Amino acid sequence: MEHFYDRSYQYPGGLDKRFDMYLWATQGFPDIGGCGGDWGQRLSDNAYLNMLNGVNVHVFEHELGHGFGITDFYGEEGAIDGFPPGGFPEPTIMMAGNSAEITNYDGWQLRYIWSKIKNQTDSNGTRRFTE
Ligand SMILES: [Zn+2]
């Protein structure tokens, strides 16, 4: 949160072009699992330290996926929070226990989301993103 409270910080491209995500290491937070969103990723301080030894890096990668807009797939086949009938074309890190690494399908999801938002404009009609 280095720049969050610094009102004088000049974001490259201006304030409306900023995209911040925070690594939030929390003492006392459960060492298994975490949470993530467009604000960043929150895991326990121990979880972040264990990642230095390669332990459970996939949990952070999963939470980082939320930062880029990819959803969870925790439900059963066909459920609103589940996976599509017949399953995914290949494993995804966004479904707990399905993959311990980022897959080509996760990359496809990220490119799909980008294809849907890249031409968005703000209330003034100015494109929010530049390629
Ligand atoms: Zn999740």
Side-chain angles (χ1 to χ4, degrees), residues 70 73 88-92 102-116:
I70 305 174
F73 300 102
F88 294 108
E90 60 181 75
T92 172
I102 296 171
T103 66
N104 288 329
Y105 182 67
D106 296 314
W108 180 88
Q109 290 183 92
L110 192 57
R111 289 189 299 277
Y112 179 78
I113 289 169
W114 175 244
S115 76
K116 296 298 180 186

Side-chain angles (χ1 to χ4, degrees), residues 34-36 59 62-63 66 70-74 93-96:
C35 52
V59 176
H62 171 100
E63 304 307 340
H66 291 314
I70 305 174
T71 190
D72 280 316
F73 300 102
Y74 285 137
I93 201 165
M94 299 310 292
M95 183 175 167

